[in-house]
Amino acid sequence: MFYWFLKFIALGPLLKVIFRPHADGVENVPAEGPAILASNHLSYADWLFMPLVVPRKVSFVAKAEYFTSPGIKGWLQKNFFSGTGNIPIDRSGANAAAGALLSAKKVLAEGELFGIYPEGTRSHDGRLYRGKTGIARLALETGVPVIPVAVVGTDIVAPPGKKFGRWTRPHVRFGKPMDFSRYAGMENDRFILRSITDEIMYEIMRLSQQEYVDMYATRAKSESRKSDHGDGEQRKLAS
């Protein structure tokens, strides 16, 4: 009930009035039954605006820390994240991916929509990065369709590293459902998993019109930090 209260009464109407998010292809999201919504990830605001334009509930996995912080602030944070459709997942352990997959399967088994960011983390520079194959495994093991999604403009509203940016009208585009039933029973073939993932990422790229980089976002972030650190050291030596 809290999810619908936030979406239709407390938070959703306010976001719609202030930002006026625009959506294309909402008809591609099934009116009922399970589906995977695979989106690009530009900002922490993505999980607010994408579900906002869909009439159904969309569930995501979120860091367990959002649900375990102590005190009043922790209680409010826990209720907010659980109320907005997020499911806690411990990302620190070796079984983080398996835990996320299990949570996703539970959501889909109940006939609901599950939202996922195949890149695994937010893009630090606005480009689209290589997808992780967990989404392909999830699609094959559950047999549900994948809806490619592009969220545009959220990195302006809430840029990486900042809580607030500047106003713009976010745009959410939903592509046509992708059916991978032709690969049924091949979820342990890493080449098939990579092929499916790349196919999904291509559709997300087409919808978002982002520049694609065939590198994992985590590696790109790490290399960017190293480069920034090196540039900083060079400036110190030159001064």
Side-chain angles (χ1 to χ4, degrees):
M1 290 298 294
F2 189 48
Y3 179 91
W4 303 114
F5 171 74
L6 287 173
K7 184 168 183 174
F8 292 117
I9 299 175
L11 184 60
L14 183 64
L15 290 174
K16 285 184 176 181
V17 168
I18 295 174
F19 294 102
R20 298 186 296 115
H22 179 71
D24 290 323
V26 178
E27 68 277 6
N28 290 322
V29 180
E32 58 182 24
I36 301 167
L37 302 182
S39 177
N40 62 333
H41 199 13
L42 293 172
S43 164
Y44 71 82
D46 294 337
W47 63 268
L48 285 174
F49 287 105
M50 189 262 272
L52 189 62
V53 299
V54 178
R56 297 179 59 188
K57 179 181 179 180
V58 182
S59 296
F60 296 86
V61 292
K63 293 188 294 186
E65 300 93 278
Y66 291 148
F67 300 82
T68 57
S69 299
I72 297 296
K73 180 181 178 181
W75 182 83
L76 291 171
Q77 184 173 262
K78 174 185 176 181
N79 281 278
F80 176 79
F81 277 94
S82 60
T84 48
N86 287 277
I87 304 166
I89 179 70
D90 183 0
R91 302 194 303 179
S92 62
N95 294 322
L101 188 64
L102 182 61
S103 297
K105 285 182 177 179
K106 288 180 180 178
V107 171
L108 296 170
E110 293 172 357
E112 302 294 338
L113 299 175
F114 182 77
I116 186 171
Y117 302 111
E119 292 169 275
T121 186
R122 293 192 300 257
S123 171
H124 67 289
D125 59 5
R127 297 188 293 177
L128 183 69
Y129 286 90
R130 196 179 201 213
K132 296 187 175 181
T133 58
I135 185 172
R137 182 176 295 278
L138 179 62
L140 292 185
E141 291 186 0
T142 60
V144 306
V146 176
I147 315 294
V149 184
V151 184
V152 180
T154 50
D155 54 334
I156 297 174
V157 173
K162 298 180 181 179
K163 289 186 178 180
F164 304 103
R166 62 184 191 275
W167 186 90
T168 193
R169 189 180 185 189
H171 198 143
V172 186
R173 303 185 184 108
F174 298 91
K176 294 187 179 300
M178 304 177 73
D179 177 18
F180 297 105
S181 58
R182 63 190 182 278
Y183 298 119
M186 305 178 73
E187 58 270 16
N188 291 320
D189 187 320
R190 63 188 181 93
F191 296 107
I192 293 296
L193 295 180
R194 173 45 56 194
S195 176
I196 291 173
T197 305
D198 289 346
E199 189 175 338
I200 294 169
M201 298 309 294
Y202 177 82
E203 287 303 309
I204 295 174
M205 179 190 70
R206 189 180 61 81
L207 290 167
S208 68
Q209 299 182 345
Q210 290 171 270
E211 177 186 348
Y212 180 76
V213 181
D214 193 21
M215 177 190 299
Y216 289 119
T218 48
R219 178 184 168 190
K221 284 183 179 180
S222 176
E223 291 188 1
S224 177
R225 284 193 293 267
K226 289 178 182 178
S227 177
D228 290 344
H229 178 72
D231 290 343
E233 291 298 321
Q234 288 294 329
R235 285 193 293 270
K236 286 180 181 179
L237 290 172
S239 60

